[in-house]
Amino acid sequence: MGRAVELETEGQPRHARHSMVLVPMGTPGLTVVRPLKALGFEDAPHGHCELAFDNVRVPAENIVLGHGRGFEIAQARLGPGRIHHCMRLIGMAERALEMAVERAEARQAFGKSLSSQGVVQHQIATSRIQIEQARLLTLHCAHKIDQLGAKAARNEIAMIKVAAPSMAQAVIDTCMQIHGARGLSADVPLAHMFMWARALRLADGPDEVHIASLAKAELKAHRSRGDAVGHWREEIRKAAPEIGSWHFGAHMCVQTGACYVRCSFPTTRSHTAPNDRPRLAC
């Protein structure tokens, strides 16, 4: 994917200035410099390589979907792609915990099995809690995508993209600790699992970007609720100026998200019955 300079001069929005282009491997000027490693592990042949482009030219019809629609393609893939990443992370954490339990049952220390040690029991229980929390959040996100689409579930996608890799990294690290030095070796796949969990805190957007997106969405929702309540307060006062001395309170239904304005007379107005207090939905 590359930036189209002419779209920038035409005043296109920032997200509509990039295009995605297909470049066949045999194209003149394209060179595979080297396969890359991740935390010391070989990523080839299925992983990533460093590529060099030297005056590479391809036909205009190699542009995917359309000029300036690169981010559109990326976003369409990233939502479901992040779900898949989180599913795999939960599976890795589950397998790592299974291996740790087997190790704890088989390994003896201080005259009894590791599984009898209180600290190891705490590690196993905490790992189970962390896995199930991430699993249920991912399931909720997938359900929302099925029902409402990826755009409506963008906050939930950001949540799981932060929660699942951090969970897997923490659980796998605990399982490596239970295994002792063997957990760092190639005899068990824990070190390789740890590498992938750590890498996925960067892949498809680093944690910090998703956290910032979530914070902005939360703040925007809060401000929108405040604006709605303020609007209805003014509408009530305009409709009935004589109730200017009433008390107003804002409420929100935790199930539907609907906002309500409750208005009532001051306690000194003894002629007002509780049932006479009106309620308006906004």
Side-chain angles (χ1 to χ4, degrees), residues 104 109-110 112-127 174-175 177-178:
F110 303 106
K112 56 183 180 180
S113 66
L114 288 181
S115 60
S116 302
Q117 310 282 352
V119 65
V120 175
Q121 292 176 355
H122 183 272
Q123 290 172 327
I124 291 171
T126 300
S127 296
T174 297
C175 295
Q177 195 72 13
I178 293 174

Side-chain angles (χ1 to χ4, degrees), residues 8 24 34 41 54 63 72 89 91 97 117 123 125 137 156-157 159 169 176 182 195 232 280 282:
E8 189 170 336
R34 58 178 177 137
F41 286 94
D54 182 14
I63 295 178
E72 182 182 345
L89 286 163
L97 181 59
Q117 310 282 352
Q123 290 172 327
L137 185 57
E156 286 75 11
I157 292 172
M159 291 178 203
Q169 184 181 343
M176 292 168 72
R182 189 167 186 252
M195 179 274 290
W232 279 101
L280 295 176
C282 35

Side-chain angles (χ1 to χ4, degrees), residues 219-237 248-252 257-262 280-282:
L219 291 168
K220 182 179 179 181
H222 172 76
R223 290 162 185 163
S224 297
R225 288 193 293 267
D227 291 343
V229 170
H231 166 75
W232 279 101
R233 283 177 174 171
E234 291 304 314
E235 290 297 315
I236 293 168
R237 288 194 173 99
F248 293 89
H251 306 273
M252 185 185 75
C259 292
Y260 298 91
V261 177
R262 180 187 293 276
L280 295 176
C282 35

Side-chain angles (χ1 to χ4, degrees), residues 79-172:
R82 286 166 180 152
I83 284 274
H84 294 157
H85 282 320
C86 294
M87 292 165 60
R88 285 191 290 271
L89 286 163
I90 292 166
M92 280 197 296
E94 188 74 52
R95 176 61 182 136
L97 181 59
E98 180 182 344
M99 293 171 60
V101 170
E102 292 174 355
R103 171 71 172 181
E105 289 278 65
R107 177 68 170 157
Q108 297 286 319
F110 303 106
K112 56 183 180 180
S113 66
L114 288 181
S115 60
S116 302
Q117 310 282 352
V119 65
V120 175
Q121 292 176 355
H122 183 272
Q123 290 172 327
I124 291 171
T126 300
S127 296
R128 170 54 62 198
I129 292 169
Q130 292 171 327
I131 291 172
E132 296 307 318
Q133 286 174 331
R135 191 197 311 277
L136 290 173
L137 185 57
T138 303
L139 180 61
H140 167 67
C141 178
H143 176 73
K144 192 165 183 177
I145 289 178
D146 285 343
Q147 297 298 313
L148 303 174
K151 187 174 182 179
R154 59 186 178 274
N155 288 344
E156 286 75 11
I157 292 172
M159 291 178 203
I160 63 168
K161 185 55 180 62
V162 173
S166 297
M167 174 280 298
Q169 184 181 343
V171 168
I172 295 167

